[in-house]
Amino acid sequence: MRKLWMFACLLALAACSRKSPGNKVLLLPSTGSAETIAAVAKATAEANGWELVEGNKTFLHPDSLQHYRTIVTAWSYPDSLDHRQLNALQRYLEAGGTWAVVKDSAFAVKGWPWLDALADNDRVFMAAPVELEKVLQQAGDQAKGLDYSACTTPAVPENNRYTYTMLAQGLDEPLQLAVLPGNDVIFAERKGAVRLYRSREKDVVTLAQFNVYSGLEDGLLGVALDPAFGKNHFVYFYYAVAGDRHVSRLTRMEMRDRKLLPETEKTILEIPTQRKYCCHSAGYMEFGADGLLYLSTGDNTNAEETEGYTPVDERPGHELADDQATSASSADLRGKILRIRIMPDGTYTIPDGNLFPKDGSRGRPEIYVMGCRNPFRFSVDRKNQYVYWGDVGPDTKVPGSEGTISYDEINQARQPGFFGWPYFLGENEGLPKWNFATKTEGPKLDPAKPINASPNNKGIRELPPAQPAMIWFGDGPSAKFPLVGKGGQSVMAGPVYYADQFVNAEYKLSDYYDGKLLIYDWVRRWIMAVTFDKDHRYLRMEPFLDHLEPAAPIDLRFADDGAIYMLEYGTNWFSRNMDARLVRITYAAGNRRPVAGIAADKLAGPAPMTVQFSAGSSSDPDRNDALHYTWNIEGQEYTDSVIAHTFKTPGVHKVMLTVTDDHKAFDTASLYIKAGNTPPSVEISSEANKSFYWDNAPFPYKVTVTDPEDGPVAPEKVAVGFSFIPYGRDMAGVLTQGGAMPAPKGKELFYSQDCKACHTENSASVGPSLMDIAGKYAHTDKNTALLADKVIRGGSGVWGNRPMSAHPGMAVEEAKMIVDYILSLKNTGAGLQAQGTLVLKDHIGKPASGVYLLHARYTDGGANGIEALTGQQFVMLRHPKLEAEERDVDGNIRFLNYINELLSYGVARDGSYFMFKNIDLTGVKRARFRVMQQGAGGTLELRVGSKDGPWVCELNVPAGNGEWVELTAPVLESNARLDLWFVFRNPGNQGQLFCIDWTLFENVK
């Protein structure tokens, strides 16, 4: 009886965990016979008393799917889904949901084994379109409700479970980090500094300054902890030694009580290098679980004079431009991943299983992997000792399977081997051996038996078979790996995550990531999680932490508590960057930390100054948690969400806010208030319309500046600029140094691409500065076209031999916008006077999307110890045609879009409306409306200030059957910038009134 009672209890618990199937059926859109599928699904649902819901892929989320007994889609539908939606669909089936699948074309998405096995899934019912009624009936009848506790596939964690904490910023070329016991972090900066982030003190101190050669890409390149650091206190460094000896050195030093002891330094290995030509030093280190030290080295070869091929220059005197002497030579330690065992006395031995015999008879016995170009970041799998690395690829003009053979690679070495460079890239695609003397292509080598016949090769002639890459991609879009994007690239390999190595760790990631490899791209600023099959072969990749955009991620490691520590190199090469950071990313499986947010009504002003603060932007991902606030300002504490504080003394004052939830989890935010200097007030006044421009219309203006500390401001000290920008209406790029402004859209495009990795505005980086480019080329249509073509195609030779990455996927117009932005940086002129009259004529004959921007700025002289502050104002004049689809706010109005006709218009009903913000009707005499007389007809009212505010225009639209017409109505002048409401009326009518496409305001009757 007791067993029967327990069995009954288990049945009851199972029943409680399973959610009722309900009566809803989810229909997801498909191509092809979509209307037929929808009609059959609707009829079948009605016959069974089910409610058919037509959704989209955003419905593929557990919160939504729990309401549906079955899903109806076409077989190809998974092609449109991302990794989160596919995961949600898989878990829905595992939880007991059913899926009615209409066969069309087979799905193309790869890397999801459960999709390949759909035919064997008893929760999936597949048939041809004519049998949809049958399979939908089966799917609906088989639905028994959902029990997500039965899922065997973990859910993809939500991004709001991660907390990103900046530990330090403004670093000087940080390269590698290591996490110490207690979560202190030691990291290396390229110019020789060894820095320590102290977790208790929350600060950064300098432990040592190595005397390094930091030219080219050399310097202090790596740091690693001994696996037995807790006992022996050993820290390892790899750096280019300063002075006349051109060597890079692997060294060891003791670290005790948070101090490095330079007297304990011991040299383990030195590698001769050349310092005449750039590039590629690598220099990363990691200990494997077997206790062996792995060290990566770059090919250290002239990479700038390859003539669009690979550096295999065999001419006498060009030995430093021949990678066959380094990467492809068994007698050289460059272009390799080395593997050695460090002994207690600081010497090393060769472990079993390296590429060449221990006696050195065929090559250097330290070599584990050869045939690398720049294996900049690698990791050693903690379970099987596989080595994964990112190899930074070349810029070639050799055609390949995807664009040119200019691939970056992610490689997997299950055992020692040769990985192809400089003869092969990607899936062993051969590169012709370029004859630099005759300027002719030689034959491609056989990857099964590559021969290094270079006279500069000091190693074996017959190399091991070339191993293909696991992942590879070039400048353009990748058909095989579409998620990687396009543009410049610099891919790197991080660690493999194993959940069982962090069982009791406070911040361990979700089991969803168990066995996945993290890879990341320094230029494209993404992180991916790579999934393997049971045999450790590549299956797929998916975005990881895609809500972040790290500033050039350059190292990524797990701490013992499961937290991820990441170094961000920052935007500009070879320089200290304010966005160069050490960050910590933690994951919360249960209660999530709140997010603190501060808003202030002013950030600077005179002293005394009262500031209103609000914590209203703070939030908590767990909806039921209450938030508690603690403010600390000048030693005073407040606990309300909205407070006021008076700063009585001049100075820079820190405001701290701590937000705590019901579970004692907390987050902090801070900002600085500057008391003692009032920001200048800049005002542009005009009697003309400040929203629209018309042909040859005059625009009189006057700039007035007031500053309490500076007193009267001379007009000549005010910077005033004016220009016509033919692309877009975004003002984000306006704020530049005085005078005319560069094209905002071009600036936005520049900073959204990889361009910023090689070019800065005022100083040379990898490429020339933007100001240098603007100084070299006049801003003409010819130069714009010339440079836009170079942006797309790439090139070299103008600013040195280093090649410029191609951007084959970029549209010509976008490239021209970027060039316009760059060339306009020199076009500042002398600026305008603080008062004058402009004639609006530059827009004539150009697109209606253009805008005029009048910009005034003044920087004060600082006061009371507060630095100089800038005040500015700008006026943007747009074309007087308002397209209805560009409205800022709408209510109860439906918009139809016709892509083929590039047409979008609103369908009005009684009481519907839309609104444009901040519109000036000064000088407007009438309005012209393009409307379709289709419906009952009605009245369009233009009202200012609010939906029920004063009306300034009324248009009566007659009923009709579908004809587009242009109607006009007079406009009452309104001399203020107010929100403009379009309100549609026909009281008592429930149907469609008419349609509206655009409104054109005219300054003549």
Side-chain angles (χ1 to χ4, degrees):
M1 288 295 293
R2 180 176 175 83
K3 289 182 178 179
L4 287 174
W5 177 80
M6 292 178 64
F7 181 64
C9 288
L10 290 172
L11 287 177
L13 288 171
C16 289
S17 65
R18 182 174 294 279
K19 181 178 174 64
S20 168
N23 74 332
K24 290 186 177 182
V25 174
L26 178 61
L27 173 65
L28 296 174
S30 58
T31 57
S33 53
E35 293 183 0
T36 302
I37 293 174
V40 175
K42 183 176 182 180
T44 307
E46 289 178 350
N48 287 275
W50 302 331
E51 177 187 352
L52 185 72
V53 177
E54 296 187 46
N56 54 51
K57 58 188 179 183
T58 63
F59 281 56
L60 291 172
H61 186 280
D63 290 347
S64 298
L65 291 177
Q66 63 179 328
H67 302 294
Y68 298 98
R69 66 186 304 126
T70 193
I71 299 173
V72 184
T73 78
W75 196 9
S76 61
Y77 189 70
D79 286 344
S80 68
L81 305 181
D82 64 23
H83 69 290
R84 292 181 181 276
Q85 293 153 357
L86 285 167
N87 173 261
L89 179 57
Q90 181 180 10
R91 284 173 51 81
Y92 171 79
L93 296 175
E94 292 176 352
T98 58
W99 186 10
V101 183
V102 181
K103 289 185 178 179
D104 54 358
S105 60
F107 54 81
V109 63
K110 302 298 182 185
W112 298 84
W114 72 274
L115 281 176
D116 297 326
L118 279 186
D120 300 324
N121 191 317
D122 61 4
R123 314 301 300 166
V124 179
F125 302 85
M126 290 187 288
V130 295
E131 297 178 300
L132 173 59
E133 180 180 358
K134 174 184 175 182
V135 297
L136 179 53
Q137 186 72 55
Q138 291 175 329
D141 290 343
Q142 289 295 318
K144 305 300 182 186
L146 301 179
D147 178 10
Y148 273 93
S149 67
C151 294
T152 57
T153 301
V156 181
E158 299 131 306
N159 282 335
N160 58 26
R161 292 196 171 276
Y162 299 94
T163 299
Y164 174 100
T165 304
M166 184 177 67
L167 305 180
Q169 67 175 341
L171 309 180
D172 191 359
E173 296 191 77
L175 292 186
Q176 184 173 4
L177 68 86
V179 184
L180 295 154
N183 286 336
D184 284 358
V185 181
I186 187 172
F187 59 94
E189 294 181 331
R190 191 180 69 87
K191 297 181 183 70
V194 182
R195 311 290 299 281
L196 179 70
Y197 169 76
R198 302 189 300 180
S199 59
R200 291 194 304 273
E201 295 84 351
K202 294 181 170 46
D203 63 7
V204 175
V205 296
T206 300
L207 296 181
Q209 177 68 48
F210 279 87
N211 185 19
V212 301
Y213 167 73
S214 59
L216 306 176
E217 294 179 357
D218 272 331
L220 175 58
L221 302 177
V223 59
L225 301 183
D226 194 281
F229 175 82
K231 296 180 179 179
N232 59 32
H233 310 286
F234 290 153
V235 183
Y236 298 83
F237 300 96
Y238 184 72
Y239 62 97
V241 180
D244 296 332
R245 292 187 63 235
H246 294 183
V247 296
S248 291
R249 177 180 295 165
L250 171 64
T251 188
R252 187 182 77 188
M253 192 180 297
E254 290 185 27
M255 180 179 178
R256 297 179 183 272
D257 299 323
R258 293 176 154 183
K259 295 180 180 179
L260 282 173
L261 307 179
E263 67 273 14
T264 65
E265 183 177 8
K266 185 171 182 60
T267 297
I268 298 169
L269 172 67
E270 288 189 341
I271 300 175
T273 61
Q274 63 85 17
R275 295 178 179 175
K276 184 175 181 180
Y277 299 108
C278 187
C279 287
H280 311 143
S281 300
Y284 197 72
M285 293 184 290
E286 183 172 310
F287 282 91
D290 54 8
L292 302 180
L293 176 67
Y294 295 74
L295 167 66
S296 68
T297 61
D299 62 4
N300 189 220
T301 298
N302 183 351
E304 298 185 359
E305 298 175 352
T306 61
E307 300 179 7
Y309 291 88
T310 56
V312 288
D313 195 341
E314 298 178 359
R315 292 175 296 175
H318 292 263
E319 295 81 5
L320 301 184
D322 188 3
D323 250 327
Q324 299 170 110
T326 60
S327 294
S329 174
S330 65
D332 197 286
L333 294 182
R334 292 169 292 177
K336 312 292 193 298
I337 297 179
L338 313 179
R339 189 176 73 154
I340 59 177
R341 183 179 299 280
I342 308 293
M343 305 306 290
D345 63 358
T347 60
Y348 70 89
T349 61
I350 305 300
D352 294 335
N354 277 2
L355 185 57
F356 299 114
K358 294 183 180 182
D359 62 7
S361 57
R362 289 180 51 78
R364 290 293 297 262
E366 298 92 343
I367 298 171
Y368 186 72
V369 165
M370 66 181 295
C372 303
R373 183 174 184 266
N374 191 16
F376 195 67
R377 290 291 175 265
F378 69 88
S379 70
V380 184
D381 191 303
R382 307 296 294 175
K383 289 198 171 183
N384 52 37
Q385 307 308 310
Y386 294 171
V387 180
Y388 297 95
W389 71 97
D391 208 349
V392 182
D395 289 295
T396 79
K397 62 182 180 184
V398 180
S401 61
E402 292 191 347
T404 59
I405 306 181
S406 302
Y407 308 142
D408 275 28
E409 299 179 338
I410 292 289
N411 289 286
Q412 179 195 66
R414 302 186 178 206
Q415 58 189 11
F418 171 62
F419 280 79
W421 180 257
Y423 307 120
F424 313 97
L425 281 174
E427 203 169 26
N428 272 348
E429 291 185 54
L431 290 144
K433 192 173 178 182
W434 180 248
N435 188 314
F436 286 83
T438 63
K439 309 301 182 188
T440 58
E441 288 187 1
K444 299 177 181 179
L445 300 188
D446 178 2
K449 194 175 181 180
I451 302 298
N452 183 349
S454 170
N456 302 313
N457 174 28
K458 301 298 189 290
I460 59 175
R461 188 170 183 274
E462 184 175 324
L463 302 176
Q467 305 300 307
M470 182 177 72
I471 299 168
W472 64 95
F473 56 90
D475 294 335
S478 171
K480 192 171 184 65
F481 308 100
L483 289 180
V484 300
K486 60 185 179 180
Q489 73 268 26
S490 189
V491 72
M492 306 180 187
V496 178
Y497 176 77
Y498 287 111
D500 61 6
Q501 295 179 345
F502 298 92
V503 174
N504 297 314
E506 182 178 2
Y507 304 113
K508 71 180 296 274
L509 295 184
S510 163
D511 288 352
Y512 175 81
Y513 292 106
D514 186 37
K516 289 179 169 58
L517 167 71
L518 300 183
I519 64 174
Y520 48 105
D521 194 287
W522 187 89
V523 173
R524 299 185 185 179
R525 302 187 176 198
W526 49 245
I527 307 173
M528 299 280 181
V530 174
T531 300
F532 300 102
D533 66 13
K534 60 182 177 61
D535 297 318
H536 300 283
R537 294 175 299 194
Y538 173 86
L539 264 182
R540 65 177 184 271
M541 70 174 70
E542 61 200 49
F544 178 64
L545 300 176
D546 51 337
H547 61 302
L548 305 177
E549 187 181 351
I554 202 162
D555 196 16
L556 187 153
R557 306 184 73 86
F558 285 101
D560 290 340
D561 62 4
I564 297 172
Y565 285 83
M566 179 167 62
L567 280 175
E568 300 177 26
Y569 180 89
T571 299
N572 300 318
W573 288 33
F574 306 124
S575 63
R576 181 187 298 273
N577 290 294
M578 281 310 297
D579 60 351
R581 299 178 284 239
L582 171 65
V583 301
R584 183 171 182 249
I585 301 166
T586 55
Y587 174 76
N591 177 61
R592 287 168 281 191
R593 288 177 56 178
V595 178
I598 302 178
D601 67 341
K602 60 179 76 74
L603 298 176
M609 174 177 65
T610 299
V611 181
Q612 305 288 331
F613 296 100
S614 171
S617 60
S618 302
S619 62
D620 193 306
D622 301 309
R623 299 174 185 173
N624 296 324
D625 279 4
L627 296 181
H628 312 277
Y629 309 96
T630 303
W631 301 84
N632 285 287
I633 310 174
E634 293 189 300
Q636 293 183 248
E637 187 173 290
Y638 305 90
T639 57
D640 293 330
S641 62
V642 178
I643 65 166
H645 180 84
T646 300
F647 298 90
K648 298 179 181 179
T649 59
V652 179
H653 305 278
K654 187 174 185 179
V655 176
M656 289 286 298
L657 169 66
T658 301
V659 178
T660 308
D661 68 11
D662 295 329
H663 306 277
K664 307 303 181 185
F666 66 91
D667 186 34
T668 60
S670 63
L671 57 74
Y672 291 91
I673 300 295
K674 298 173 182 179
N677 187 20
T678 308
S681 172
V682 179
E683 180 184 357
I684 301 175
S685 59
S686 176
E687 297 177 356
N689 188 290
K690 292 188 285 295
S691 288
F692 304 121
Y693 57 77
W694 292 277
D695 291 359
N696 296 306
F699 186 83
Y701 69 92
K702 181 179 180 180
V703 179
T704 305
V705 176
T706 57
D707 188 286
E709 288 79 21
D710 284 11
V713 176
E716 61 269 18
K717 292 186 176 181
V718 183
V720 181
F722 180 74
S723 63
F724 178 75
I725 291 122
Y727 311 106
R729 297 181 178 127
D730 176 15
M731 290 185 285
V734 173
L735 311 180
T736 58
Q737 301 98 315
M741 284 70 67
K745 184 62 177 177
K747 184 172 184 178
E748 176 187 331
L749 284 168
F750 176 88
Y751 283 102
S752 70
Q753 302 283 337
D754 62 303
C755 316
K756 59 185 178 292
C758 298
H759 302 279
T760 66
E761 187 166 306
N762 293 301
S763 60
S765 179
V766 172
S769 74
L770 303 188
M771 293 298 290
D772 286 342
I773 297 172
K776 183 179 181 68
Y777 297 94
H779 196 173
T780 64
D781 291 344
K782 180 180 179 181
N783 283 338
T784 297
L786 171 71
L787 296 179
D789 183 70
K790 189 170 183 178
V791 169
I792 294 170
R793 297 175 180 270
S796 64
V798 178
W799 303 93
N801 291 315
R802 178 171 293 207
M804 171 182 166
S805 296
H807 300 82
M810 184 181 292
V812 174
E813 285 307 312
E814 289 186 340
K816 286 184 176 180
M817 291 180 199
I818 290 174
V819 173
D820 278 338
Y821 155 62
I822 295 170
L823 298 187
S824 67
L825 289 172
K826 279 286 186 180
N827 187 29
T828 57
L832 299 177
Q833 300 296 317
Q835 183 173 353
T837 298
L838 304 165
V839 179
L840 307 178
K841 58 183 180 181
D842 291 347
H843 67 276
I844 298 174
K846 295 180 180 177
S849 60
V851 297
Y852 287 98
L853 287 168
L854 177 62
H855 174 229
R857 179 168 61 183
Y858 171 72
T859 300
D860 68 19
N864 298 308
I866 304 299
E867 76 274 15
L869 300 177
T870 298
Q872 57 193 346
Q873 190 183 39
F874 42 84
V875 173
M876 183 181 78
L877 304 178
R878 61 182 294 174
H879 193 279
K881 178 188 283 187
L882 300 183
E883 298 282 355
E885 68 266 22
E886 295 179 357
R887 76 248 176 241
D888 295 310
V889 174
D890 60 23
N892 192 28
I893 186 165
R894 184 165 59 102
F895 273 80
L896 300 179
N897 299 290
Y898 292 88
I899 302 301
N900 292 337
E901 301 177 34
L902 298 177
L903 180 63
S904 176
Y905 58 84
V907 180
R909 296 176 181 271
D910 179 51
S912 59
Y913 61 88
F914 58 81
M915 180 264 281
F916 285 88
K917 293 181 178 179
N918 205 22
I919 297 296
D920 183 5
L921 295 178
T922 300
V924 174
K925 305 301 183 184
R926 69 176 182 179
R928 183 180 301 274
F929 303 88
R930 185 173 190 258
V931 296
M932 181 192 290
Q933 295 173 225
Q934 185 177 53
T939 302
L940 167 57
E941 300 171 350
L942 300 191
R943 294 179 176 270
V944 294
S946 70
K947 186 165 68 73
D948 301 315
W951 70 269
V952 294
C953 180
E954 184 175 88
L955 177 73
N956 293 311
V957 181
N961 296 315
E963 182 182 1
W964 283 105
V965 296
E966 292 184 15
L967 304 176
T968 62
V971 175
L972 298 179
E973 187 168 345
S974 174
N975 297 318
R977 300 189 70 164
L978 298 169
D979 295 342
L980 182 63
W981 297 78
F982 289 62
V983 183
F984 303 89
R985 305 285 192 194
N986 189 339
N989 190 288
Q990 301 298 313
Q992 177 175 314
L993 304 184
F994 56 90
C995 303
I996 182 167
D997 184 9
W998 49 253
T999 302
L1000 176 66
F1001 292 109
E1002 299 175 338
N1003 62 346
V1004 294
K1005 292 184 179 180

